[in-house]
Amino acid sequence: MSNWTLLRHSRCCLSRFKTQRFQKNAPLGSTFSTSDEAQADNEIPVQAAPPPVQVQLTESSGRGVFATRRISAGELLHTAKPLVSYPSLSTIQSVCYFCLKKVKNSAVDQSPSVAFCSEKCEEQAKSFLGVEGKADWVDFNDYCRSHGLKYPLLVKRFACMVLSGATSADLLDILQPAMLSPRMISEMEEGFDILKSAFKVAKFPDEKMAFLTKQWYTGILARIRINAFRIECAGGLYEDLLQAAAASVEAEGAVGNAVYMLPSFYNHDCDPNTHIIWIESADAKVMALRDVEEGEELRICYIDASMDRDARQTFLSQGFGFHCTCLRCMSGD
């Protein structure tokens, strides 16, 4: 079976960032590693090696990610924690409100509206939950639900993180924004008004909300539109990551959306050599689908790669604003 038939990766971003090499000190809010993070209680933690990738200019696609050494098929290149994430409204009571891991009924928090998979996640969620809990989000959630919107929910969480002091309002400025038409901006403004009203009714001081302008809201939403990943978690842990990639297709189910740093630098290819998977939570795992030589660009597939060429071209053009010239498309496949 071909790679593109096997994979149905629903990535929702187009990376065009400035050149940056990722070393041991990862950007704020991101975690990268080339080995499992968990350590046994009796083991001495070992600092993870930097991932074998480098972000640099490509000849035709802006920025891209390149291998700094030979990479073997099935190799885990790095992991990444989201800068911001949010569960789908349909799964909000069945997944962890922080890491998006599916939870059992017994694990549901005492709150009637959200759930956590562990005390650790509940503790980490305090960075935004304390702010979020002070406002009434019925109108905002109804607005998102009735319009079929998911990205404003990420803006809402990010705004709560900023208000809590957990992060800065310009954290996502490095992301390339989508091109917005006047109609799109007008539609975004409605969401902004509802969001700001919720904070005002909750009596947050004006000085704390100084960052929350219409320009900030539309700018953040424009960045999230093309840099957010749809999270589809595999049902459990797998020893072999290639099998996990296949399992993530068969057990597909979107539990939410998230924005990352390094994963958003990967360019598109309809016959990718790299794949991003989620096993149980929103922590992204980037793995090689086949052997990659040093200096070769690492690419993922933004869409359902099993579609025919015309369908892929239409989807990429309308959804991401570019015409794909990968070898598979150029060959007419």
Side-chain angles (χ1 to χ4, degrees), residues 67-107:
T68 59
R69 61 166 172 77
R70 190 177 189 281
I71 296 170
S72 300
E75 182 175 343
L76 177 63
L77 304 181
H78 62 83
T79 64
K81 291 186 179 297
L83 300 173
V84 59
S85 62
Y86 202 90
S88 302
L89 290 176
S90 61
T91 65
I92 204 164
Q93 291 183 300
S94 59
V95 302
C96 179
Y97 202 49
F98 182 78
C99 76
L100 308 187
K101 180 179 181 180
K102 293 182 181 180
V103 297
K104 299 178 181 179
N105 292 333
S106 58

Side-chain angles (χ1 to χ4, degrees), residues 227-246:
N227 291 286
F229 287 79
R230 180 185 177 195
I231 310 302
E232 296 172 351
C233 295
L237 297 173
Y238 300 86
E239 294 182 356
D240 186 272
L241 287 176
L242 282 173
Q243 292 179 2

